[in-house]
Amino acid sequence: MMGNLSLCRPIIRAAFCAFLALLPLGAAWNLIAAQYFPARALKIGPTLGGVTYDTSVIFSWPEIRDGKFQKAVVSRVTDAMPVRPLLIRINNEIRFHLFGELTAPNVVRGANGHLIEQTYLDDYCSRTEGMGAKLAAVAIPKLKDIQNFYQKHGAVFVYVVTPSKAAHLPEYFVDRVPCPSTPAARKQLVPDYVGALKREGIHVVDTASLIHSLKGTYPFDLFPQGGVHWNDVGGARAVSAVVEEVNRLAGHEIIPPFRFTYTMSTPAKGADRELVDLLNVFFPPLGYQTPKVSFQPSVPCAESPARQLDVAVVGSSFGHLPSRIMVEANCLERLQFYYYATLGRFGGTPYRELQRNLSENDLRAWRNAEVMILEENESFMASAKVGYVDQLRAVVKRP
């Protein structure tokens, strides 16, 4: 059998040589297609999970001297190779299933197969006692400026704190990485932070504490095994709390509430498998169940005035699920979600990306919002790493 497949046979040798000759031609085609015909790029194997950004190729002496030009060219050529997805998945499959290694950068595996991003663990394990009050002191002046603007213009402003998986399920992860923070410091950060904001009159919806208080209420965790964001039930409970607060501040019901039911589903889809997809293996671990929610709006959306309400949500990746739910289940057809302010604008029915890489001019629409929802995750509250709170403050303070 092996003799029949020997490279000494002319036909096999010719086919192998033709394959090798086609590799650079395929890469050359993909380099051209990336610029003009991205849908026609040649790829062998399933598309790789994860978002990557092309390195800019700048031909200049400083770039050549620093080696950046050479690295950028190598990166572009490597990415253009048609067999790259196939080879990466073969490598990852061997390392994952034979040796238990994760090749996805910044992904940590905890107990019961749960995955998490390293950055959320780093935050959770670096909390110190008194940190909540210190972060609040930084955030309060900014949030007051934003809230005062919307109140002055007859609009509603709420600040939403969302939960992290590390804080919700620490028992799955804290023994897997160095975690010098004390249990008290980890537990008190959000209550101390939210309490300080409320004492200063900031309209806060603490969905982090809400979700953590629901632990054990359902026959499943509110964070999926293969994802870092809350599942549909967690998102639904959070949105209900946000809508209740918005209606209270408005003095009457401007957003119709909803009821929901759920059924268990497998395999996981969408955000419930986002970290599993980053593993880029042929046989991903997707045997776990996740809840899928069905919504029953309190009024038919076709009859609801909320369809005309201008709602803006500015926030992190945790803002996607609540925004989609509010569009679909709370009848907020005009809601716009600004992902990290400028990375993307999402909305519409069906919920989708509407614009990418927004300019400062695009953000002026924030000033006209009838409801402004500002979301920050508990892992990055009042953090300079995020920056979109400062951007919102700058927009509303412009004359």
Side-chain angles (χ1 to χ4, degrees):
M1 180 68 178
M2 291 301 296
N4 292 336
L5 297 177
S6 172
L7 287 178
C8 294
R9 296 177 63 86
I11 295 178
I12 300 298
R13 187 165 62 247
F16 183 69
C17 291
F19 174 74
L20 293 179
L22 287 174
L23 287 179
L25 292 177
W29 167 255
N30 285 343
L31 289 170
I32 297 171
Q35 297 294 322
Y36 305 105
F37 319 105
R40 299 183 182 180
L42 302 174
K43 295 292 180 183
I44 301 175
T47 302
L48 297 176
V51 177
T52 59
Y53 299 93
D54 288 334
T55 305
S56 298
V57 180
I58 303 174
F59 184 73
S60 67
W61 173 243
E63 295 283 318
I64 295 173
R65 183 181 57 202
D66 294 342
K68 294 180 181 178
F69 171 75
Q70 296 91 319
K71 290 179 181 178
V73 170
V74 170
S75 176
R76 289 290 184 92
V77 172
T78 301
D79 290 345
M81 294 189 66
V83 296
R84 182 172 180 266
L86 178 64
L87 296 178
I88 287 177
R89 286 187 182 271
I90 291 173
N91 173 68
N92 291 353
E93 188 70 38
I94 293 171
R95 295 174 66 176
F96 179 69
H97 281 103
L98 293 186
F99 305 104
E101 294 182 16
L102 300 184
T103 56
N106 201 36
V107 176
V108 176
R109 180 163 54 180
N112 297 338
H114 271 268
L115 303 176
I116 195 171
E117 288 183 34
Q118 181 72 51
T119 49
Y120 290 95
L121 277 180
D122 290 344
D123 160 77
Y124 186 69
C125 290
S126 63
R127 297 180 179 184
T128 57
E129 295 184 30
M131 181 181 285
K134 293 176 183 176
L135 292 176
V138 174
I140 286 169
K142 302 175 184 180
L143 296 176
K144 275 189 173 180
D145 285 343
I146 297 168
Q147 182 168 292
N148 289 341
F149 171 86
Y150 288 104
Q151 285 182 330
K152 180 180 177 182
H153 289 79
V156 174
F157 170 78
V158 292
Y159 175 65
V160 179
V161 178
T162 51
S164 83
K165 186 175 183 177
H168 191 68
L169 300 170
E171 65 274 17
Y172 291 163
F173 303 106
V174 292
D175 63 341
R176 305 300 173 101
V177 297
C179 201
S181 62
T182 65
R186 302 170 199 159
K187 188 175 181 179
Q188 284 304 121
L189 175 70
V190 172
D192 288 352
Y193 178 78
V194 169
L197 265 57
K198 287 186 175 180
R199 286 191 293 272
E200 291 296 323
I202 304 299
H203 303 148
V204 188
V205 181
D206 180 9
T207 66
S209 296
L210 168 65
I211 295 302
H212 299 330
S213 73
L214 294 172
K215 188 173 181 177
T217 302
Y218 296 95
F220 49 81
D221 294 322
L222 292 178
F223 284 79
Q225 181 177 315
V228 74
H229 297 97
W230 43 18
N231 61 26
D232 286 1
V233 169
R237 293 295 299 261
V239 167
S240 294
V242 171
V243 168
E244 181 180 351
E245 178 65 4
V246 168
N247 287 337
R248 185 189 72 81
L249 292 170
H252 63 283
E253 185 180 292
I254 61 173
I255 302 177
F258 57 73
R259 292 179 294 107
F260 72 89
T261 56
Y262 69 84
T263 56
M264 300 307 292
S265 173
T266 188
K269 298 177 181 178
D272 289 337
R273 56 176 287 170
E274 58 195 349
L275 295 184
V276 172
D277 287 338
L278 294 182
L279 301 182
N280 287 313
V281 294
F282 288 110
F283 305 103
L286 293 172
Y288 56 93
Q289 290 189 319
T290 57
K292 289 303 167 188
V293 168
S294 297
F295 295 97
Q296 298 86 43
S298 57
V299 297
C301 284
E303 303 172 8
S304 174
R307 295 173 59 202
Q308 303 304 317
L309 197 63
D310 285 322
V311 180
V313 182
V314 180
S316 70
S317 54
F318 273 84
H320 276 296
L321 179 57
S323 295
R324 180 176 62 79
I325 291 174
M326 285 189 282
V327 169
E328 298 174 358
N330 296 109
C331 309
L332 298 178
E333 294 182 6
R334 299 180 66 170
L335 180 147
Q336 305 279 283
F337 172 52
Y338 294 82
Y339 178 49
Y340 285 102
T342 58
L343 291 186
R345 179 171 60 87
F346 295 76
T349 37
Y351 179 81
R352 62 194 184 279
E353 185 179 52
L354 304 174
Q355 185 181 0
R356 187 174 296 185
N357 298 326
L358 282 68
S359 67
E360 290 299 318
N361 259 355
D362 295 320
L363 306 186
R364 292 189 64 84
W366 293 351
R367 297 171 62 90
N368 302 321
E370 297 172 90
V371 177
M372 168 57 75
I373 300 171
L374 175 62
E375 176 272 326
E376 281 196 294
N377 189 261
E378 65 173 291
S379 295
F380 311 108
M381 299 177 304
S383 172
K385 299 176 185 176
V386 178
Y388 54 79
V389 176
D390 292 322
Q391 288 175 285
L392 176 55
R393 185 194 196 189
V395 167
V396 301
K397 285 180 71 68
R398 288 175 193 157

mmCIF file with all atom_site columns, all heavy atoms in Angstrom, residues 76 86 263 289:
data_model
loop_
_atom_site.group_PDB
_atom_site.id
_atom_site.type_symbol
_atom_site.label_atom_id
_atom_site.label_alt_id
_atom_site.label_comp_id
_atom_site.label_asym_id
_atom_site.label_entity_id
_atom_site.label_seq_id
_atom_site.pdbx_PDB_ins_code
_atom_site.Cartn_x
_atom_site.Cartn_y
_atom_site.Cartn_z
_atom_site.occupancy
_atom_site.B_iso_or_equiv
_atom_site.pdbx_formal_charge
_atom_site.auth_seq_id
_atom_site.auth_comp_id
_atom_site.auth_asym_id
_atom_site.auth_atom_id
_atom_site.pdbx_PDB_model_num
ATOM 1  N N   . ARG A 1 76  ? 1.509   39.423 6.606  1.00 0.00 ? 76  ARG A N   1
ATOM 2  C CA  . ARG A 1 76  ? 0.524   39.433 5.517  1.00 0.00 ? 76  ARG A CA  1
ATOM 3  C C   . ARG A 1 76  ? 0.647   38.192 4.646  1.00 0.00 ? 76  ARG A C   1
ATOM 4  O O   . ARG A 1 76  ? -0.355  37.579 4.268  1.00 0.00 ? 76  ARG A O   1
ATOM 5  C CB  . ARG A 1 76  ? 0.721   40.689 4.658  1.00 0.00 ? 76  ARG A CB  1
ATOM 6  C CG  . ARG A 1 76  ? 0.313   41.986 5.321  1.00 0.00 ? 76  ARG A CG  1
ATOM 7  C CD  . ARG A 1 76  ? -1.204  42.085 5.473  1.00 0.00 ? 76  ARG A CD  1
ATOM 8  N NE  . ARG A 1 76  ? -1.609  43.360 6.017  1.00 0.00 ? 76  ARG A NE  1
ATOM 9  C CZ  . ARG A 1 76  ? -1.936  44.421 5.295  1.00 0.00 ? 76  ARG A CZ  1
ATOM 10 N NH1 . ARG A 1 76  ? -1.927  44.342 3.970  1.00 0.00 ? 76  ARG A NH1 1
ATOM 11 N NH2 . ARG A 1 76  ? -2.280  45.548 5.869  1.00 0.00 ? 76  ARG A NH2 1
ATOM 12 N N   . LEU A 1 86  ? -6.121  25.254 7.971  1.00 0.00 ? 86  LEU A N   1
ATOM 13 C CA  . LEU A 1 86  ? -6.088  23.803 8.156  1.00 0.00 ? 86  LEU A CA  1
ATOM 14 C C   . LEU A 1 86  ? -4.929  23.391 9.053  1.00 0.00 ? 86  LEU A C   1
ATOM 15 O O   . LEU A 1 86  ? -5.091  22.594 9.988  1.00 0.00 ? 86  LEU A O   1
ATOM 16 C CB  . LEU A 1 86  ? -5.980  23.117 6.796  1.00 0.00 ? 86  LEU A CB  1
ATOM 17 C CG  . LEU A 1 86  ? -5.892  21.589 6.816  1.00 0.00 ? 86  LEU A CG  1
ATOM 18 C CD1 . LEU A 1 86  ? -7.171  20.991 7.371  1.00 0.00 ? 86  LEU A CD1 1
ATOM 19 C CD2 . LEU A 1 86  ? -5.612  21.050 5.415  1.00 0.00 ? 86  LEU A CD2 1
ATOM 20 N N   . THR A 1 263 ? -35.881 27.492 27.440 1.00 0.00 ? 263 THR A N   1
ATOM 21 C CA  . THR A 1 263 ? -35.707 26.051 27.238 1.00 0.00 ? 263 THR A CA  1
ATOM 22 C C   . THR A 1 263 ? -34.212 25.784 27.126 1.00 0.00 ? 263 THR A C   1
ATOM 23 O O   . THR A 1 263 ? -33.447 26.651 26.687 1.00 0.00 ? 263 THR A O   1
ATOM 24 C CB  . THR A 1 263 ? -36.415 25.566 25.959 1.00 0.00 ? 263 THR A CB  1
ATOM 25 O OG1 . THR A 1 263 ? -35.938 26.323 24.834 1.00 0.00 ? 263 THR A OG1 1
ATOM 26 C CG2 . THR A 1 263 ? -37.921 25.746 26.077 1.00 0.00 ? 263 THR A CG2 1
ATOM 27 N N   . GLN A 1 289 ? -25.167 22.316 27.983 1.00 0.00 ? 289 GLN A N   1
ATOM 28 C CA  . GLN A 1 289 ? -26.443 22.932 27.623 1.00 0.00 ? 289 GLN A CA  1
ATOM 29 C C   . GLN A 1 289 ? -26.465 24.402 28.017 1.00 0.00 ? 289 GLN A C   1
ATOM 30 O O   . GLN A 1 289 ? -25.813 24.804 28.989 1.00 0.00 ? 289 GLN A O   1
ATOM 31 C CB  . GLN A 1 289 ? -27.598 22.211 28.312 1.00 0.00 ? 289 GLN A CB  1
ATOM 32 C CG  . GLN A 1 289 ? -27.864 20.812 27.787 1.00 0.00 ? 289 GLN A CG  1
ATOM 33 C CD  . GLN A 1 289 ? -29.159 20.240 28.353 1.00 0.00 ? 289 GLN A CD  1
ATOM 34 O OE1 . GLN A 1 289 ? -29.465 20.399 29.522 1.00 0.00 ? 289 GLN A OE1 1
ATOM 35 N NE2 . GLN A 1 289 ? -29.921 19.567 27.503 1.00 0.00 ? 289 GLN A NE2 1
#
